[in-house]
Amino acid sequence: MQINATPQQRICVLGATGSIGQNTLAVIAENPDAYPVYALTAYSNVAAMLELCRKHKPTIAVMVDANAATELRQQLQAEKLNIEVLSGSTALALVASSSDTDIVMAAIVGGAGLLPTMAAIEAGKRVLLANKEALVMSGQLFMDAVAEYGAELMPVDSEHNAIFQCLPPALQYPLGQQSLSDHGIDKILLTGSGGPFRELPLAELAQQTPDAACAHPNWEMGRKISVDSATMLNKGLEYIEARWLFGCQQHELDVILHPQSVIHSMVQYRDGSVIAQLGQPDMRTPIASCLAYPDRIASGVSHLDFTQLAALTFGKPEAERFPCLALAKDACWSGQWATTTLNAVNEIAVEAFLQEQIKFTDIARICAEVLAVVPPQQLNSIPEVLSLDAEARALATQQVRKQRAC
């Protein structure tokens, strides 16, 4: 099956007020006639959603929080904007699977994005996957659903989108269903900057504040993903995601440091060739690539000026500096239970760090402690995934309380 872009594709943006959501709408604004906005969703940020509604005039706006939905509805009515407002988590799945939606941007951060993303998959949509946690949590179940329902899965993460662009067309669709080796590929190389603490003395890591962890040297991101970048757990989640997206075997996948964030990932071929995707560190580029594939559209991003580039450098991540990356790589090949657990525990630990309840180095410690006590188990359905997710979150919350008491 060939994925073809068609004019006037209606879009639903899950997580519209977040960084990815806003970048998506910025790309749409560059191509106003191509992507009418059917639905925008958010959790509770009424002010941001109101501004987006004024600008993009969606048919439906969803606020998960009921009070926020009531407030937004009143403000839209006062401004005589004819936009329907829905509330609750079930409304996310409703708009994601609606027959009025052609493309779904899955940009809700964390495990909360799993069910609406699965709803879009089961409705056979083109799904622009920015919510890596959905695939990390459900793995084979997710990819099986993509195949069963004929959904078109497009990777938005800059690294995975880079890999996608470096693959031969035969591997681009359907994703993850064929052997890399059969197409001459030896290895996929995920690049990562190493975040703001890449060169910090190890003895100083425990004293780092949330603001310091969120000060990424290259990318502008939300606070949760910024902390994940500082621990390199974000790269670990991308490693897990890449395993499923591209059907990798363990020896076919690796992570290398690239502090400049110019090369977004690379594919090594059997003949010695390496194909890399380069660009500005700006999420509008991969978003535009996913929206228009197999065509190209304006993203608003400036071209690289190679005459102005400094040296491009590379290195290996230090296990002692980035224990979360090692945990993620181990979890990836241990089973779905391990990646589901790790994702859930990390979300709890990162939120506790952002609330200044634990130290930066406690994030990895809590993740390791919970992984050590959760028994290996088979997860054969999404309800089983969600049950383990809830169990892991409860165990992580207990560990946070213990750490605070120390």
Side-chain angles (χ1 to χ4, degrees), residues 13-25 41-42 45 48 52 107 109 222:
V13 182
L14 301 174
T17 59
S19 174
I20 295 294
Q22 293 193 49
N23 276 313
T24 301
L25 293 168
T41 85
N45 191 336
L52 293 178
V109 175

Side-chain angles (χ1 to χ4, degrees), residues 120-389:
I121 293 292
E122 292 173 1
K125 305 298 182 184
R126 172 180 285 199
V127 177
L128 280 50
L129 187 65
N131 172 269
K132 62 176 62 66
E133 292 87 355
L135 189 50
V136 168
M137 288 173 67
S138 59
Q140 190 66 59
L141 293 169
F142 190 97
M143 296 305 293
D144 287 348
V146 170
E148 179 180 354
Y149 295 101
E152 301 173 354
L153 189 61
M154 302 294 298
V156 172
D157 262 352
S158 61
E159 294 80 5
H160 302 109
N161 185 262
I163 293 163
F164 180 87
Q165 294 192 54
C166 295
L167 293 176
L171 287 177
Q172 291 180 328
Y173 187 87
L175 276 180
Q177 304 298 317
Q178 302 180 63
S179 164
L180 295 177
S181 179
D182 287 351
H183 290 80
I185 293 173
D186 279 348
K187 185 165 286 190
I188 284 174
L189 298 172
L190 287 166
T191 60
S193 70
F197 304 148
R198 180 175 52 86
E199 296 181 337
L200 190 76
L202 293 176
E204 297 180 17
L205 284 174
Q207 284 70 52
Q208 298 308 302
T209 66
D211 284 346
C214 291
H216 196 281
N218 302 332
W219 295 92
E220 292 184 11
M221 304 179 291
R223 289 177 71 78
K224 192 269 182 184
I225 193 173
S226 294
V227 175
D228 284 348
S229 180
T231 65
M232 282 200 82
L233 194 280
N234 185 52
K235 200 57 52 181
L237 298 180
E238 290 172 3
Y239 179 96
I240 297 165
E241 192 179 6
R243 179 229 172 141
W244 295 113
L245 282 173
F246 307 115
C248 300
Q249 302 299 312
Q250 189 168 1
H251 67 277
E252 295 174 327
L253 188 57
D254 206 355
V255 174
I256 60 173
L257 290 180
H258 171 49
Q260 294 79 24
S261 299
V262 171
I263 297 176
H264 298 302
S265 277
M266 298 176 277
V267 177
Q268 288 184 337
Y269 284 83
R270 185 174 301 135
D271 61 6
S273 301
V274 180
I275 298 180
Q277 190 268 342
L278 288 72
Q280 300 282 6
D282 191 313
M283 286 305 300
R284 290 175 295 172
T285 296
I287 290 167
S289 171
C290 290
L291 275 172
Y293 178 84
D295 299 325
R296 299 282 179 170
I297 58 174
S299 67
V301 179
S302 61
H303 294 296
L304 281 176
D305 183 348
F306 286 92
T307 66
Q308 299 300 312
L309 283 180
L312 301 181
T313 59
F314 305 90
K316 290 184 178 181
E318 303 170 58
E320 190 176 4
R321 182 179 299 278
F322 302 115
C324 282
L325 176 59
L327 287 173
K329 293 172 81 169
D330 288 344
C332 181
W333 308 107
S334 296
Q336 192 61 60
W337 68 272
T339 58
T340 300
T341 298
L342 176 61
N343 178 73
V345 176
N346 178 67
E347 286 190 25
I348 297 297
V350 169
E351 181 59 28
F353 170 67
L354 288 171
Q355 298 298 323
E356 301 186 16
Q357 297 173 354
I358 62 173
K359 295 179 180 179
F360 177 77
T361 48
D362 291 333
I363 297 173
R365 184 178 302 110
I366 290 171
C367 287
E369 288 171 348
V370 176
L371 279 167
V373 299
V374 172
Q377 55 199 274
Q378 289 292 323
L379 301 177
N380 299 313
S381 68
I382 295 300
E384 290 179 7
V385 168
L386 295 175
S387 176
L388 178 58
D389 176 79

Side-chain angles (χ1 to χ4, degrees), residues 53-67:
C53 286
R54 289 169 178 153
K55 183 173 183 179
H56 297 283
K57 307 294 192 301
T59 303
I60 296 175
V62 177
M63 304 298 290
V64 175
D65 181 79
N67 292 330

Side-chain angles (χ1 to χ4, degrees), residues 99-113:
S99 59
D100 291 318
T101 298
D102 300 306
I103 300 173
V104 176
M105 168 55 79
I108 295 174
V109 175

